[in-house]
Amino acid sequence: MKISIRRYATLFALTAALTLNFTGCTNLDESLYSTLEKDRFYKNKLEVMQAALRPFTHMQAWLAPTGGSGHYYHAELSADQIAWPQKGKHGYDNGDHIRMHYHTWTPNENRMITAWELMWTGLGHVNGALNDISQLDVAQIDMTTEEHEQVLAQLKVLRAFHYLKIMDMWGNVPLALEVPLSPQNPETQPRAEVFAFVEKELLDNMDKLPLTEASTVGQISTAAAYAMLAELYLNAEEWSGTARWDDCVAACDKIISGEAGGVGGIPQLSADINELFANTNSANPESLFQFEYSRQAGFTFDWGGFYMGYDNMREALNVTYGGWNAFVVIPSAFDAYAENDMRKKDWFLFGPQYKYGTTTPVLGTEEWNGKPLVYVNTIRRESEGDLTSEGSMTEGEENSGARFHKYKSGIQSDPNYQENDYIIYRLTEIYFNKAEALMRKNGGAATTDAVQLINKSRERAFAEQDWANEKYTESSLTLEELLAERGREFIFEGKRRTDLIRFGRFHTATWWDHDPKSSSEHKTLFPIPQVQLSINPNLKQNPGY
């Protein structure tokens, strides 16, 4: 049964009317949030679909780069590629982004509190739907037993995905699997136990999922579950205390071989570096799991708020959206790309900005008011004459830093304008995961298979005449270089913090003006928000906070 956000976008309001959905947003207690009685709902397949869809519609709030407080914000702004510096009078925001960049956060961070609320709310939506749908008598509605079991399996795997990301951020957390009938204070469980739960949920429900194919785009299908399993095993040493490299390779092979299906029958790398992020990416054969958006259906993937410059950038791209001029690329991250790397040209806005289709400059509106807007690879007060300093998070200007251009909406007249889906897992990541696992098994040295896997992806980023000098060999593909290439390939995709932690670099590396002395090893976990500890005395704070 297809659970499609694109198809069911018009049902969002009805979906939100369900009762007895456990929200989990502040204290993991029950919350009734509508006036529609449960026993008047679930009368047909459509209403079951509405309930099953609710966790998917909520997930975009914390997973995709459309919100400023979820998993995505913390995964990227605490790492070495993206920052939200203060730009003159804009962007200080109580110092939130500055503390995130310098790893000086506390248990009282408002955005961290919001991330906790959003992610546990999502988990509550899953538990609520599972509770209700599992009790249905399929004979009374137009569903088969197989369809019913498939929806339940998809929701259980989605719950495992929520826990995977919650565990990534906070480590030791409660396992809340039921809709409570009275207020409860669930106890913190060891991260290894949460890991074991996620693994079991994935393995137990894998065979009940539909194979990945064009008709299952946007739902939890087999390849999506194996991608989750590959991520789980790749991080097993950090998350459970025991390395699982062979299991990671096996999960990757299920996808690479096509055994788990694929949009085109078997997953295939996109032919070039831009196809997967284009506004026609809904049925791209590289995608394994994606969040379906559609402007035409009223549910747009709006990355503009955080990634787009001020409204004057509408002129440069011929689009209807502007932004807050928030996220920028850290200078050292932009420098990590070779000049002949096509990703550097295609995935960023950089240099002079011109009105679309002309040579007329876009003009600045703040520090460079009335002057040509030129994005530069520095974050400092150049308008005031500072052309040499390293700069800092409080010294940005409206043109500081290269900008996001990985997803492209197309111009306003494009029939697919803003029809982009957000890609959660893609085949390239599976290649990287397998290559890393093979190298870890081999004492950190590259194998022939590992080199071939990374080169298949990297080759798309270079012109044919450059490739001989740019391809990896078994001697040049070190673990450190693999981490650097992961950064170049997956920039903006919400994965960097997890990668840095796995490579032992999150609390030891220097990037731009970030000094590792301002951090320490305990910062690889975020603190449980203090407000949650006050509400639930059975929660235990992470070490070091």
Side-chain angles (χ1 to χ4, degrees), residues 92-166:
Y92 177 70
D93 295 343
N94 196 38
D96 294 356
H97 326 306
I98 296 169
R99 291 189 299 277
M100 188 60 49
H101 178 77
Y102 293 129
H103 293 189
T104 56
W105 54 73
T106 74
N108 296 308
E109 299 293 334
N110 287 329
R111 292 174 190 271
M112 207 171 292
I113 293 169
T114 302
W116 177 281
E117 292 174 352
L118 285 170
M119 296 171 77
W120 283 102
T121 297
L123 191 63
H125 289 322
V126 178
N127 281 339
L130 275 169
N131 181 75
D132 294 344
I133 295 173
S134 64
Q135 298 179 47
L136 294 178
D137 180 359
V138 294
Q140 302 300 313
I141 55 179
D142 57 339
M143 289 185 74
T144 66
T145 299
E146 182 181 6
E147 288 175 330
H148 182 244
E149 290 179 350
Q150 186 178 100
V151 170
L152 292 176
Q154 289 176 312
L155 286 168
K156 288 178 180 178
V157 170
L158 185 62
R159 179 170 62 184
F161 181 70
H162 278 71
Y163 263 115
L164 187 152
K165 295 302 182 183
I166 288 171

Side-chain angles (χ1 to χ4, degrees), residues 8-203:
Y8 291 99
T10 57
L11 304 178
F12 291 170
L14 289 176
T15 307
L18 291 174
T19 63
L20 292 178
N21 266 337
F22 164 64
T23 68
C25 59
T26 56
N27 63 356
L28 304 183
D29 293 339
E30 177 185 14
S31 177
L32 304 178
Y33 72 55
S34 85
T35 58
L36 186 62
E37 295 296 328
K38 174 183 171 182
D39 59 6
R40 297 181 184 177
F41 207 71
Y42 298 110
K43 299 301 183 184
N44 53 55
K45 185 188 300 185
L46 176 63
E47 292 178 348
V48 173
M49 292 295 292
Q50 291 173 9
L53 178 61
R54 180 63 180 126
F56 287 85
T57 66
H58 176 84
M59 192 168 70
Q60 60 85 29
W62 59 264
L63 183 64
T66 54
S69 301
H71 183 276
Y72 186 93
Y73 173 92
H74 292 85
E76 290 289 10
L77 268 67
S78 66
D80 63 350
Q81 294 187 305
I82 298 171
W84 186 342
Q86 181 180 355
K87 305 177 189 71
K89 63 185 178 182
H90 302 286
Y92 177 70
D93 295 343
N94 196 38
D96 294 356
H97 326 306
I98 296 169
R99 291 189 299 277
M100 188 60 49
H101 178 77
Y102 293 129
H103 293 189
T104 56
W105 54 73
T106 74
N108 296 308
E109 299 293 334
N110 287 329
R111 292 174 190 271
M112 207 171 292
I113 293 169
T114 302
W116 177 281
E117 292 174 352
L118 285 170
M119 296 171 77
W120 283 102
T121 297
L123 191 63
H125 289 322
V126 178
N127 281 339
L130 275 169
N131 181 75
D132 294 344
I133 295 173
S134 64
Q135 298 179 47
L136 294 178
D137 180 359
V138 294
Q140 302 300 313
I141 55 179
D142 57 339
M143 289 185 74
T144 66
T145 299
E146 182 181 6
E147 288 175 330
H148 182 244
E149 290 179 350
Q150 186 178 100
V151 170
L152 292 176
Q154 289 176 312
L155 286 168
K156 288 178 180 178
V157 170
L158 185 62
R159 179 170 62 184
F161 181 70
H162 278 71
Y163 263 115
L164 187 152
K165 295 302 182 183
I166 288 171
M167 173 178 62
D168 176 34
M169 285 189 65
W170 289 290
N172 307 320
V173 293
L175 280 172
L177 308 180
E178 303 292 339
V179 178
L181 299 179
S182 61
Q184 294 183 358
N185 291 315
E187 296 182 355
T188 298
Q189 302 298 325
R191 196 185 211 179
E193 188 168 325
V194 181
F195 180 99
F197 169 77
V198 173
E199 180 185 22
K200 187 175 188 302
E201 285 285 272
L202 292 175
L203 293 176

